[in-house]
Structure formats: C-alpha cells, structure tokens
Amino acid sequence: MILLQSPSRFLLQILKDRIVSGDKGVDIDCHTVEFDDVRYHVQFSMRNPKVMVLSVALPLAPPEAILYDGLPLGAIDAIKAAYGAVVQILDPPKDCFDLTMKINLTKLPTDEEQRNVVLTQIASVREVVLGAPLKLLLRHLASKTVAPNVDKLVALVHRPNESFFLAPQADKVTVVYPMRFQDSIDIVLATSFLQEFVEARRTAALNNAPSCMWSPVPPLELKGVNADALDANAGFVTFVVFPRHVEGRKLDKTVWSLLTFHAYVSYHVKCSEGFMHTRMRRRVESLIQALDRAKSDAEKLKKLVHGGSFRRLSMKHEGNSNH
Amino acid sequence: MDPSERPAVVFDNGTGYSKLGFAGNSEPSFTIPTVVAVNESFLDQSEQCSSANWLAQYNAGVMADLDFFIGDEALSHFKSSGLYSLRSPIRHGQVNDWDTMERFWQQSIFNYLRCNPEEHYFLLTDSPVSTPESRECMGEIMFETFNVPGLYISVQSVLSLSAGFAYLKSLSEEDSEDSVSDMTGVVVDIGDGAPHIVPVVNGYVIGSSIKSFPLSGSDVTQFVMQLLQERGELLPPDDALDIARRVKETYCYTPSDIVKEFKKHDSKPSKYIKQWSAIKPKTGVPYTVDIGYERFLGPEIFFHPEMYSPDFSTPLPELIDSCVQSAPIDTRRALYKNIVLSGGTTMFKDFHKRLQNNIKKIVDERVAETNARHRVEVKPVEVNVVTHPIQSYAVWFGGSVAASSHEFFECCHTKEDYEEHGASICRTSTVFKGMY
C-alpha cells in the first residue's frame, strides 16, 4: 500500500457489519482516532438499530485558517451534496466534536453495488469535510476561473495547529506545505525523502504530474504570512496544480492526495525506517554468523558450558548499531 | 495536545488472531488473522546485485518493501496470486520472526487503525513464558521504528484476569452486591497458540507454577479435520483445514459425559448431525459434509488428550489442579475460587461446566481423603470456573481497561527512558516481582 486510502476502514467495517447483521440491535458506543487528530465517535442505540450517530472532531485550527461555525468553508454543502437524504446534520454537534450526523441506514439504496458506494462515501467523511474548501477552489480551477471573494492566499487546516497554503489563480493553483516533524531522525529522513521526491518528478514517466519544488526557506508565495505559521523544520514543498490535474474524476483523488500529503510523507518516513532496521538486523545476523564460524572448536565448547547465549549477543550488537 | 490525552492503542497479537483497537472501547476495532503475505520475488537477493534489484523493481512498478498485506487481505492475495507467500510471525504464542512482525504492526497502525504512532501510547501483550529478549525486541521496534511516546508490555494472563474482574464488577454494580474477589485467580488461556495455566495472586504472577498444555485450538481444528477425513467425508484438500476450523467454531460443544453423547447421537441422528455445504474452489461444484461425532469429540481432546496425541495424557482439569497445588498453600482456596477462562478455544458451549465439575471432583476426593486420614472435618473447597461472553478477546478487553486508567501513563516506559537506558528497560515485567 503506497497511498493512504480515503475511506476509514473502521467506519466502513461497522457500517457493513450493521447492514449484514440486519435488525439484531446491539448497543455500540465506540470512538477512534485517526492521524492528525481526527476523532470519530460512533453510536448505535438498541431502540433505533438502523440509525447511526456519527460525530467527527477535526484538528484544532491555527489562527490563519478560517472556519465557519467550526467547519471548513463549504463543508455543510459538501455533506448535503455527497450524502443526500441518508444523512441528517444535527445542530449543535455533541460536546467536544465539530460535526454530528445522523445516518439513516434504511434510506440506503437497495442495490448492493450502489449501497457499497454510498457506504464508502460515508466512511470517507474526512475527505468530504476537510477537503470541502480545497475542492471548491480546484473546481474553479477546472473551469479556469477564480472563485469569487477568495483572498490571494488561502490557509487550510490539515494538522492540529498547522495549515497549508493555496494561492489560487485562473490557470493554476500553487499549494505550499510547511513540513514539520518532531523527531530529529524523522526530520533528516523527511528532508532527503522530499528532495528525492522532487528528483523523481523529473523522470520522463511523470512528465504530466504537477510540478513540485522543495526549498528550505519559505517560497515567495508565502510573503506576508505570520512567522509562526512559517516555522518549518523540514523545509517547504510547493506543488503547482493545473486544470488538467483536476478534470472530471481526477478531482477527488487530487483533493485527497493534497489533503494527506503530510501524512503520506510521515508514513513513508516510518516505512523506510522500518526497512532500514530490517536490513540492519539482517546484517548483524550475518556478521554474527561470520564471527561464529571464525571461532575455534575449543571456544565453542567453552561457550556452551558457560551458557552465554547466541541470542543475547545478537541483541547487544543490534542495539549498538541502531544508535 | 499531549499524547497522554489521546486514547492509547492496544494490540493483542495472538498466534491465530490479532486484536487491534483503542483503549476505552469495549470491543477491539479489528480482529484479523496474524498473517502477512509478502512478495518474495524481490526480497532475499544478495547484496551484490542490489542496484540491479532496484532497477528490476522499478521496471516492474513494485516497491518490495511496501508490497505486502496482512490479515484477511493477506489470505485472499495468497489464494489468488502465486506472487505472495504467507508468513505467520507468531508461533506457539511467541514472536519468532521480527521482520514480519514489524511489517504486521506497520500495516495495523497505518492502514487499519490509521493513526500516527507518535501521537499515542501503546500497550502490547506478551505471553507469560516469553523471554526478556523478546520483550526487548518489542521495545526496540516500537521506539526506534515507530517512535512511540510510551510503551507498556503487559502479561496476557494478568489482563485476562482483570477483564474477568471488570466484567463481573460491571454486573455486580447493577445487582448492587460486592462479592468479587481481588486480582487473585488461575487464568486458563487457550488460544490458537500455546495454552497456559497461570496462577496470579494479588496481580502478581507466580512464575514457578505456570503450567503449559501442549494442545491448542489449532490441534482441535486438526483433529476435527482428521476425524472428518477418516470417516470418508470428501473435503477439498486446499480448503480442508479452513472448513474444519469453521465447523469447530460453529458446531463444536463440550458434553458432560462422552458415552451418553454417543448414545444420544445414535438414537436421534437427525437431531444431532449437522450439514455443512460449500462450493469447491477449483471446480465450483457444490458439496455437503455431514458433521456428527466431531461436534463433541473435538473439544474432548482437552479432557482426554490421549485420543489425539500419544505422548501426552494429563487432562486439562488435572493440570489445573496440579498448578494450584504447586502454588503457596495460603493462596490455594482463593485460586480455586476464581478460575478464569480466556482465549477463543474456551468458547465451546458448556466448556466451563465440564471443567468445573472435573476439578471439583478431584478436589472433593482429596478433601474426603484428608478427612478420612486425619479424622477431621475440613471446610469444603469452593471451586468456581468463571465464564463471560467476552472470553475470545478477554486479553484485549483487559488491556483496554488497563490503558484507560490514569495510572497507565505513569507505568509506561517512555521514549526518554528508552533513550537514556536503551531497550533493556523492557526486559523485566513488574508482575513477576511479587512476594512469592
């Protein structure tokens, strides 16, 4: 799996289970947390087994990102457009949550394939809500206009207290991500990963992809932005999105990829760390085997008597090599 | 937001199934088979040709280090394509392949729970007989690769005990009576891996009295399959084990007396014999399998192990009894009073009744003997096998309860500890440091 999937596996599983289990009502009250502090709370009550109450909490917005009633611009319209009659928005939302929806499972289409499409849509609620303003801007790009009443630079929240920036123009949208990581190793890996990323974009196969730049200092587009928002320890990544990238069905994919770019990078940083550790372990194993082969028979015998284990030796070396 | 304000992630990786979820929930978010399907065509090539290897991968459009699946997806990819090979990182309750385990965790974190491991504390579980080295390895992977802020490695049996305790407490609150004992009891943990009988006193494990039972859930499956095949049922060889497993999960039960059960089946076959219908995977031809004696003979291997394995003949109740007898004498009554079942294989219908009867019989005989020999009247020993509906994921539930308390975050090994002292902080577990 190279990209993160848009529908939440957990929500999808609960919804599908509920459809299959029919009218057997069980009380469900559970919560789950996704990357970047998106929290879900799912409730089914015994009395209404076909009604799911889903509450969503969004990441805490930094001051530069503007929210409307706690939701990103156009989120309510996007929900209504995506789900139609199946979903009813409850106002005000539950305590500690930004959005509460009532999902009526009896109103789902009866055809299995269509129903699965709607369920997947519901499970992708994150994309619908957080991606709403992005989608709005990109839709205007597809028709080569600039959305009315939009500033020259739009900040959108994507992580707790962090936002990324869009500079919409009629023929292109420039997207800038300040990249921040906590761990010092992560910072180094992410920086080189991003430089490779820009390098990889130059290969012939990716000629049509959005152009991509990385710089250690804020790019010109971000002039005049509050200095706090520009404090990034792994540099800045800039994508330039053209109308051809958001035509028709490509739009949804583009929105999701842009929205989760930071999560994507951090996922791959973790994967490469894991891969490196695997290789280190394998290397240590082979070195120990080489050492073992070099031992004389007398030494081997002594070792057995004293009971020092092969395993412990391997652990010790591994620990050293990782630091 | 501080990681300790978010719910902790609780992983219970068992030999057969892994339970994944967040603390504070009453059920795990995911229960998936602990298997990984890896694409081996690009792995395991020698170092020299690594650049050629990379080029080959690049041309094939594959990233070998990301090209793997876990859980049910792994099973379906393994079946549908020859590219993947199936690996189980855990055997007999203990992790034996750390690379695969790391991959399994990676997917469970990023693809299943979809959380950022840096933002959550983690609770992992560990078999009571696993080595300090394996706990060290666990800590190393969690802190180095996933950068978790805090980690707690708990012993499975203590968690099952606290799960049973929490469950009974939730019941007794409703009935407003407080007759629940504290954290003392014998945990009978039979999963797909290595079953253990672990006595726990006041939350501490009595390490010297842990007994292991060689037969597990996978042996029941094997035995059911063997019985079906010996009787001449036509099972497709590819699916035989899978069908046996599902037959076991749906139809098997524990009778109180095996001889009576044979008679019942013989007199009323229509009532007791079940049918299993499926479709052959290769040819698509539907077929049915009759399920008769297998229904009660499968679980019977715990009470008559010699039926299945010639090398081992101590029945489970006897082993539990000897486990309690080897514990300190002042704890035995409390241990007999609270025998807790845990693991999917204890879910057979009436398993606890049979176990309770058999243990009671052994104990009563011993008491009667003592009375006769010393001419005294000993107070009868209370034997109680506790059963609850969450047995199949009791360990996970116990973990969820433990990790949602405030003390949990103070007990964790933190990233700072790890960086200061290294992986050795995970070697020991406090539950083994009791006064016994």
Side-chain angles (χ1 to χ4, degrees):
Chain A
M1 186 196 67
I2 292 175
L3 292 169
L4 296 165
Q5 306 297 309
S6 168
S8 151
R9 208 176 259 272
F10 175 67
L11 292 181
L12 198 59
Q13 178 188 294
I14 281 204
L15 285 165
K16 282 194 173 154
D17 280 356
R18 184 50 59 145
I19 301 277
V20 171
S21 74
D23 290 331
K24 271 183 281 169
V26 206
D27 262 333
I28 294 184
D29 187 334
C30 53
H31 56 100
T32 177
V33 186
E34 266 189 7
F35 54 93
D36 302 338
D37 261 355
V38 174
R39 287 178 292 131
Y40 301 100
H41 183 207
V42 179
Q43 274 176 309
F44 276 106
S45 74
M46 216 74 125
R47 256 177 290 144
N48 263 344
K50 286 286 182 193
V51 172
M52 170 164 130
V53 179
L54 172 67
S55 309
V56 186
L58 304 177
L60 195 67
E64 67 268 13
I66 302 162
L67 297 183
Y68 300 86
D69 291 335
L71 292 176
L73 175 70
I76 302 269
D77 296 331
I79 293 169
K80 282 180 184 154
Y83 305 134
V86 181
V87 163
Q88 186 192 349
I89 299 172
L90 298 184
D91 195 47
K94 280 216 171 75
D95 271 356
C96 310
F97 289 94
D98 295 315
L99 171 74
T100 302
M101 308 190 299
K102 210 168 165 182
I103 298 161
N104 195 338
L105 298 183
T106 49
K107 287 193 182 157
L108 289 174
T110 41
D111 177 50
E112 201 181 332
E113 215 163 286
Q114 276 178 17
R115 192 173 61 205
N116 278 346
V117 171
V118 176
L119 291 184
T120 316
Q121 272 265 296
I122 295 175
S124 322
V125 63
R126 177 190 185 129
E127 181 188 336
V128 173
V129 175
L130 277 178
L134 190 58
K135 209 166 185 170
L136 210 69
L137 288 173
L138 293 182
R139 216 176 254 143
H140 278 284
L141 174 68
S143 58
K144 300 198 179 156
T145 51
V146 177
N149 340 319
V150 162
D151 300 335
K152 265 179 88 181
L153 194 65
V154 184
L156 295 177
V157 55
H158 67 144
R159 278 163 60 74
N161 261 326
E162 284 178 36
S163 49
F164 65 101
F165 299 90
L166 276 92
Q169 280 166 308
D171 54 345
K172 63 177 186 183
V173 171
T174 317
V175 192
V176 186
Y177 296 90
M179 302 300 288
R180 297 178 184 95
F181 289 89
Q182 275 175 15
D183 192 74
S184 57
I185 300 171
D186 283 5
I187 296 171
V188 175
L189 283 177
T191 313
S192 56
F193 177 85
L194 290 170
Q195 280 160 340
E196 273 303 307
F197 197 77
V198 174
E199 207 57 41
R201 160 70 181 79
R202 301 215 178 106
T203 51
L206 297 174
N207 241 338
N208 289 326
S211 72
C212 166
M213 279 151 300
W214 178 86
S215 75
V217 290
L220 285 176
E221 282 86 358
L222 296 189
K223 226 182 217 169
V225 175
N226 186 350
D228 280 348
L230 292 183
D231 173 35
N233 54 23
F236 294 81
V237 181
T238 313
F239 290 107
V240 182
V241 182
F242 289 106
R244 65 166 188 274
H245 299 126
V246 289
E247 280 162 356
R249 292 171 67 194
K250 281 189 213 158
L251 179 67
D252 283 340
K253 237 179 149 179
T254 313
V255 167
W256 176 249
S257 308
L258 288 176
L259 203 59
T260 55
F261 180 69
H262 191 284
Y264 165 81
V265 174
S266 96
Y267 168 55
H268 280 271
V269 166
K270 287 280 174 296
C271 287
S272 39
E273 259 177 77
F275 189 57
M276 274 185 249
H277 287 168
T278 310
R279 307 249 323 220
M280 277 188 221
R281 266 199 293 272
R282 214 169 280 169
R283 183 105 181 107
V284 168
E285 265 339 283
S286 71
L287 287 176
I288 288 173
Q289 270 169 21
L291 278 177
D292 231 31
R293 273 198 300 275
K295 269 180 203 151
S296 65
D297 286 345
E299 240 178 311
K300 276 181 193 160
L301 211 65
K302 210 167 95 193
K303 189 130 198 255
L304 277 177
V305 172
H306 285 288
S309 71
F310 169 79
R311 190 79 189 137
R312 188 180 298 158
L313 183 70
S314 99
M315 296 307 302
K316 215 185 209 159
H317 276 249
E318 202 171 3
N320 291 342
S321 63
N322 278 346
H323 290 295
Chain B
M1 202 166 155
D2 191 61
S4 63
E5 287 168 35
R6 299 190 186 92
V9 174
V10 180
F11 280 179
D12 173 29
N13 296 109
T15 312
Y17 287 90
S18 281
K19 282 69 88 180
L20 325 167
F22 286 103
N25 285 348
S26 55
E27 272 177 51
S29 304
F30 299 99
T31 306
I32 51 173
T34 316
V35 287
V36 180
V38 264
N39 182 349
E40 275 183 329
S41 48
F42 294 107
L43 291 176
D44 299 329
Q45 290 183 6
S46 60
E47 295 267 324
Q48 285 87 353
C49 65
S50 62
S51 62
N53 183 10
W54 186 84
L55 204 67
Q57 274 182 43
Y58 181 79
N59 289 337
V62 174
M63 290 174 111
D65 55 324
L66 289 176
D67 194 17
F68 63 92
F69 298 90
I70 65 166
D72 296 317
E73 281 175 308
L75 294 176
S76 63
H77 273 89
F78 173 66
K79 267 185 199 154
S80 61
S81 114
L83 267 179
Y84 296 93
S85 63
L86 213 54
R87 291 194 199 165
S88 324
I90 303 185
R91 283 200 191 276
H92 304 296
Q94 301 194 39
V95 183
N96 68 347
D97 183 349
W98 289 101
D99 294 352
T100 317
M101 198 65 226
E102 188 174 24
R103 285 162 181 238
F104 187 85
W105 279 329
Q106 182 193 311
Q107 283 273 297
S108 0
I109 294 172
F110 288 104
N111 195 10
Y112 279 74
L113 292 179
R114 300 220 307 175
C115 64
N116 186 348
E118 282 172 30
E119 295 173 347
H120 297 269
Y121 277 68
F122 275 69
L123 187 145
L124 299 182
T125 67
D126 195 15
S127 138
V129 292
S130 70
T131 56
E133 280 81 5
S134 92
R135 279 194 286 272
E136 234 175 33
C137 239
M138 239 179 215
E140 194 175 298
I141 290 178
M142 277 293 154
F143 283 116
E144 295 280 351
T145 311
F146 297 114
N147 245 334
V148 299
L151 171 70
Y152 188 78
I153 302 175
S154 186
V155 177
Q156 280 158 2
S157 19
V158 178
L159 292 181
S160 337
L161 193 64
S162 70
F165 178 60
Y167 184 79
L168 290 182
K169 208 168 102 184
S170 71
L171 286 187
S172 67
E173 258 168 20
E174 284 161 15
D175 303 348
S176 71
E177 53 177 277
D178 44 357
S179 60
V180 218
S181 66
D182 50 358
M183 288 285 285
T184 301
V186 185
V187 179
V188 182
D189 186 358
I190 313 174
D192 233 10
H196 289 292
I197 301 159
V198 185
V200 182
V201 176
N202 296 329
Y204 291 102
V205 173
I206 303 176
S208 57
S209 305
I210 296 176
K211 303 267 184 225
S212 59
F213 191 76
L215 306 179
S216 65
S218 54
D219 291 298
V220 179
T221 312
Q222 194 76 37
F223 189 53
V224 168
M225 185 182 82
Q226 211 175 310
L227 286 171
L228 286 172
Q229 281 171 339
E230 274 169 14
R231 221 187 43 231
E233 295 291 347
L234 295 168
L235 296 173
D238 294 353
D239 270 8
L241 211 55
D242 194 43
I243 287 168
R245 183 177 61 80
R246 279 193 274 168
V247 164
K248 174 189 86 172
E249 282 166 10
T250 9
Y251 294 122
C252 278
Y253 65 93
T254 335
S256 55
D257 186 344
I258 187 166
V259 182
K260 276 188 202 152
E261 215 59 28
F262 270 114
K263 276 187 197 144
K264 267 203 239 168
H265 269 252
D266 290 340
S267 60
K268 273 193 210 158
S270 58
K271 189 179 162 195
Y272 289 101
I273 290 179
K274 301 279 178 190
Q275 305 254 313
W276 180 272
S277 21
I279 294 166
K280 284 189 188 171
K282 290 260 165 63
T283 50
V285 183
Y287 65 97
T288 51
V289 177
D290 283 346
I291 303 150
Y293 300 147
E294 292 82 22
R295 291 188 61 200
F296 61 90
L297 282 179
E300 194 62 28
I301 64 169
F302 293 109
F303 302 97
H304 292 108
E306 67 277 4
M307 278 193 323
Y308 175 71
S309 133
D311 337 318
F312 191 79
S313 61
T314 318
L316 185 63
E318 238 170 77
L319 204 66
I320 296 174
D321 182 63
S322 75
C323 167
V324 177
Q325 288 299 317
S326 68
I329 195 159
D330 57 334
T331 61
R332 289 183 199 161
R333 268 181 198 271
L335 289 176
Y336 275 123
K337 209 169 135 188
N338 192 20
I339 298 171
V340 180
L341 300 178
S342 141
T345 311
T346 59
M347 296 290 281
F348 296 119
K349 195 168 162 273
D350 293 338
F351 189 77
H352 65 285
K353 280 188 199 156
R354 174 83 181 270
L355 211 54
Q356 176 158 346
N357 287 345
N358 287 15
I359 299 174
K360 181 87 184 143
K361 214 165 127 196
I362 300 172
V363 172
D364 283 351
E365 269 170 24
R366 186 181 299 117
V367 170
E369 209 177 289
T370 320
N371 286 350
R373 195 186 299 154
H374 301 294
R375 293 162 202 245
V376 285
E377 201 57 43
V378 175
K379 203 171 109 199
V381 177
E382 193 185 336
V383 177
N384 194 12
V385 177
V386 179
T387 178
H388 47 75
I390 54 166
Q391 257 156 241
S392 61
Y393 55 90
V395 176
W396 186 90
F397 182 76
S400 165
V401 171
S404 50
S405 68
H406 285 291
E407 294 87 23
F408 169 74
F409 296 104
E410 287 153 28
C411 301
C412 277
H413 303 301
T414 59
K415 177 108 178 118
E416 287 79 53
D417 289 347
Y418 177 81
E419 274 164 359
E420 189 65 32
H421 305 286
S424 61
I425 50 168
C426 304
R427 280 183 80 89
T428 51
S429 177
T430 44
V431 297
F432 290 110
K433 289 182 180 161
M435 52 208 275
Y436 299 103

